[in-house]
Amino acid sequence: MKTATLLRINRDRLQQRLSALATIGRLPEGGVRRTAYSDEDLAARQWVTTAMQAAGMTVTLDAAGNLIGRYGGTEALPALATGSHIDTVPAGGRYDGALGVLAGIEAVATLHESGLRLRHPIEVIAFTDEEGEMIGSKAMAGTAKLTDPEHFRRLDGETIQACLQRVGGNWEALATAQRTEAAIAAYLELHVEQGGVLESEQCQIGVVQGIVSLQRFQVTITGRPNHAGTTPMHLRQDALYAASLLVAAVHDVAVEIPGDQVATVGLLNVLPNAANIVPGQVHLTIDMRDLSLETLSTMVTVLKQRIDEIMSSTSTQIELRPQHFVEPTLASPAVQAAIATVCDDLNLTHYSMPSRAIHDAQEIGRFTQMGMIFVPSQAGVSHAEDEYTSPEQCGQGADVLLNTLIALDAQLATGRHD
Amino acid sequence: MKTATLLRINRDRLQQRLSALATIGRLPEGGVRRTAYSDEDLAARQWVTTAMQAAGMTVTLDAAGNLIGRYGGTEALPALATGSHIDTVPAGGRYDGALGVLAGIEAVATLHESGLRLRHPIEVIAFTDEEGEMIGSKAMAGTAKLTDPEHFRRLDGETIQACLQRVGGNWEALATAQRTEAAIAAYLELHVEQGGVLESEQCQIGVVQGIVSLQRFQVTITGRPNHAGTTPMHLRQDALYAASLLVAAVHDVAVEIPGDQVATVGLLNVLPNAANIVPGQVHLTIDMRDLSLETLSTMVTVLKQRIDEIMSSTSTQIELRPQHFVEPTLASPAVQAAIATVCDDLNLTHYSMPSRAIHDAQEIGRFTQMGMIFVPSQAGVSHAEDEYTSPEQCGQGADVLLNTLIALDAQLATGRHD
């Protein structure tokens, strides 16, 4: 039994910090608006810097504006990193991102006030603009398009150069933010699930198997706009009727193939969109996610067959254009095993699952071994002001984070010494 | 054989007038913007007044702003009325409405220059705001909501009082515009089909059986917005997936029941409408049209069953609210027979069909016997700048209009004398 070696974080202090950070950008309904590079983001960065320093860390900023708190180790080893982000969507909640950063600080604070140091240094990182272009984790992974600042231009027209400058970064020096496995031996991220799986499975901790691949398509369906009264049914080329068959096909293809892949039509616009006109054109998006590229490929193949049938039966044209593709990132089996063992030791139930949301771990996992710990989201709600994870659940997640860092410290250091 | 008595209108003059009227509000692509009460509408009213006077008519305006040209008869009988409208949709064509008014003027001009008068007076009417609230024909039928000027308020916020004043009408005196069968013995309207049936059936003239009933519903589908990655398929309450099943059901119900009824979802809006969010709410309209109220009732019954099934299978709520209901108006069998006989006499092929578009004849037919004559619309296109009906087809329709007026004059006068 390892239970004697288990540490516990200070749940009250973690809650106090979650509450304090949530005052920066607080919305009337209890949510948070703290979009990247905003004044609220700047204020939160200052607040987090102070909290990191209070936990015994030295704080630096890299060229991507990533805020890095470092707690030294006892040996000359690469760091064990943890973290997440403190920016939010325009009307987000208190836990998405913030929990991962504050639990990392709390883990270090627990070590610090116990007078403990691990063999590896620990880094707690608040990544820049996770809810936007993820330039923080991409710069660190070397996957940011350094030659294309336009790629990172924001919707309000601001340049990435100006944005980075505001948070203390430097676009011209972005390449210097890149890290390797020689600098970060492993990365662990605690995050709210943002879905309803853990609640549905009645499990306390999610052990993430990997972050799914995302394939997104833009679809244009072209029929012929016409009078909704005078055009007989058999003479119609109704783009919305065709779209409705496609939306149903996207749903069906996700549920018919074995596995727990997901597919969504989230955006759909009709032209001309008037009650008395047969729709002439529809634009929609298809978003498909799974850990397995083979499954995604099968879904696309089946969908293309259905599209051919729909075009033929509705006399419309359907054009499917790839818009976005993200490679899957698998979590390290060793890190997954370490998380599961710690859960068992803490008497916490756990469930292995993919992450179908994107996280900074997706990019960091491209150059070093990665693992993620999920805690439940009440009713699966996220990116919303009423996002909620209980103090107990937050504390359980932070305990798993701290003790997994300790376990990895022992395993990885041992591995090197063998 | 009656062929000896047939008159022919002057096709060149009809075309010249269609071209001249189309210059008022002309759009760059060849279409017309002459919305009701606009400066273009005012200019067109002046132009039509002059044309009516040149054809031997005296012109008056009623309180609804209807422009009425009257060509006296030889006996003290109620009028035979014809007409349509000269207002257009914001980017309309040259024929919708204009053809009916100008062919009416041309019919009278043909009589006038031949020195002929019928027993009945003839009235050619340009009704006010057909493309909007149809206050012209509604006031004449006594179906306008006299107590509710807000009902007629325009989208741009202008009051009906101000609009009517601009075209020479008077809201306070609107009741004086009402007519009865004692004033108008029959009403005949020539109009472009605005659909593709005549072209598809290769017929020259449509003999309208009646103007369909229109039932329009507003539908709200409520599910739960959620993350498109993290929400497993079986935990979703996807409002757009439910909507897609409903759009397909609306299509199916129209094609599965015997008959040529139509049903359309023309407007559909998704909330929040983002590629990465499972839709939480959808608003859409259902527009159903048929001559038979029984068929419409059957469609609604079947649709409600499908809605119950969809709610159950998708875990969504679907609310169906009646938005708009228009009673059908049947064309007089005697007038239909007269039109068909005239077509035969003129060696024109004809086809009996309902009108699934709304026309002024719908309101006028509520108090007197009504008939409509359709001519083909190229490719079924209407309410569009490239609306087209050939000079020959316009002339054929006007010939049928003129000779049907002559036939009705004989029949109705005889009927009274029997």
Side-chain angles (χ1 to χ4, degrees), chain B residues 164-180:
Chain B
L164 286 184
Q165 190 168 26
R166 187 171 314 138
V167 296
N170 178 2
W171 168 261
E172 301 300 332
L174 200 68
T176 63
Q178 188 172 349
R179 312 286 290 273
T180 66

Side-chain angles (χ1 to χ4, degrees), chain A residues 104-175:
Chain A
I105 293 172
E106 180 55 36
V108 171
T110 304
L111 293 172
H112 184 54
E113 66 191 6
S114 309
L116 295 174
R117 284 190 187 269
L118 304 186
R119 296 176 190 182
H120 297 78
I122 301 178
E123 287 188 8
V124 180
I125 308 173
F127 292 98
T128 298
D129 195 19
E130 195 270 351
E131 298 291 3
E133 294 291 345
M134 300 184 70
I135 192 164
S137 49
K138 284 182 176 171
M140 207 174 270
T143 53
K145 294 178 184 169
L146 300 183
T147 55
D148 182 14
E150 286 301 313
H151 180 75
F152 296 101
R153 184 181 282 272
R154 283 150 50 93
L155 285 179
D156 59 11
E158 267 199 293
T159 63
I160 186 63
Q161 290 94 329
C163 287
L164 286 184
Q165 190 169 26
R166 187 171 316 137
V167 296
N170 178 2
W171 167 261
E172 301 301 330
L174 201 67

Side-chain angles (χ1 to χ4, degrees), chain A residues 159-219:
Chain A
T159 63
I160 186 63
Q161 290 94 329
C163 287
L164 286 184
Q165 190 169 26
R166 187 171 316 137
V167 296
N170 178 2
W171 167 261
E172 301 301 330
L174 201 67
T176 63
Q178 187 172 349
R179 312 286 289 274
T180 65
E181 201 173 4
I184 297 180
Y187 175 74
L188 201 58
E189 181 168 350
L190 170 64
H191 206 282
V192 291
E193 181 198 337
Q194 303 186 269
V197 172
L198 289 176
E199 207 172 66
S200 167
E201 299 290 337
Q202 299 190 293
C203 277
Q204 293 162 306
I205 299 290
V207 182
V208 173
Q209 300 163 311
I211 300 174
V212 297
S213 172
L214 181 155
Q215 290 201 19
R216 195 170 291 160
F217 295 91
Q218 285 185 319
V219 179

Side-chain angles (χ1 to χ4, degrees), chain A residues 194-195 197 226-230 232 236 240-241 244 251 262-269 273-275 277 279 285 289 356-357 379-380, chain B residues 194-195 197 224 226-230 232 236 240-241 244 251 262-269 273-275 277 279 285 356-357 380:
Chain A
Q194 303 186 269
V197 172
N226 231 320
H227 194 294
T230 60
R236 296 183 176 203
L240 181 55
Y241 173 54
S244 75
H251 173 270
V262 293
T264 308
V265 178
L267 180 150
L268 185 148
N269 292 315
N273 210 31
I277 303 179
T285 57
R289 306 185 192 205
R356 290 196 180 76
Chain B
Q194 303 186 267
V197 173
R224 193 197 275 178
N226 231 320
H227 194 295
T230 60
R236 296 183 176 202
L240 181 57
Y241 172 54
S244 76
H251 172 272
V262 293
T264 307
V265 177
L267 181 148
L268 186 148
N269 292 315
N273 210 31
I277 302 180
T285 56
R356 290 196 179 77

Side-chain angles (χ1 to χ4, degrees), chain B residues 290-408:
Chain B
D290 199 58
L291 267 189
S292 158
L293 287 177
E294 196 182 331
T295 299
L296 285 174
S297 168
T298 304
M299 290 168 77
V300 172
T301 302
V302 173
L303 206 54
K304 284 182 175 171
Q305 289 167 358
R306 301 268 172 95
I307 284 174
D308 285 343
E309 295 161 12
I310 294 168
M311 286 198 292
S312 159
S313 71
T314 61
S315 302
T316 59
Q317 284 298 314
I318 303 182
E319 190 193 349
L320 186 75
R321 292 182 306 282
Q323 182 194 12
H324 199 49
F325 174 70
V326 181
E327 291 272 0
T329 304
L330 298 181
S332 150
V335 176
Q336 291 182 63
I339 296 168
T341 302
V342 166
C343 288
D344 290 337
D345 292 345
L346 289 167
N347 287 319
L348 297 171
T349 53
H350 53 93
Y351 186 76
S352 282
M353 58 187 292
S355 169
R356 290 196 179 77
I358 287 175
H359 298 289
D360 292 306
Q362 184 160 33
E363 296 301 324
I364 306 305
R366 302 202 190 287
F367 70 87
T368 191
Q369 55 183 317
M370 171 278 280
M372 285 193 76
I373 301 157
F374 276 174
V375 285
S377 295
Q378 187 178 77
V381 172
S382 179
H383 283 187
E385 292 193 54
D386 56 342
E387 178 183 270
Y388 182 72
T389 300
S390 74
E392 186 179 16
Q393 291 167 327
C394 291
Q396 289 168 343
D399 280 343
V400 174
L401 176 68
L402 169 58
N403 289 288
T404 305
L405 286 170
I406 293 170
L408 290 175

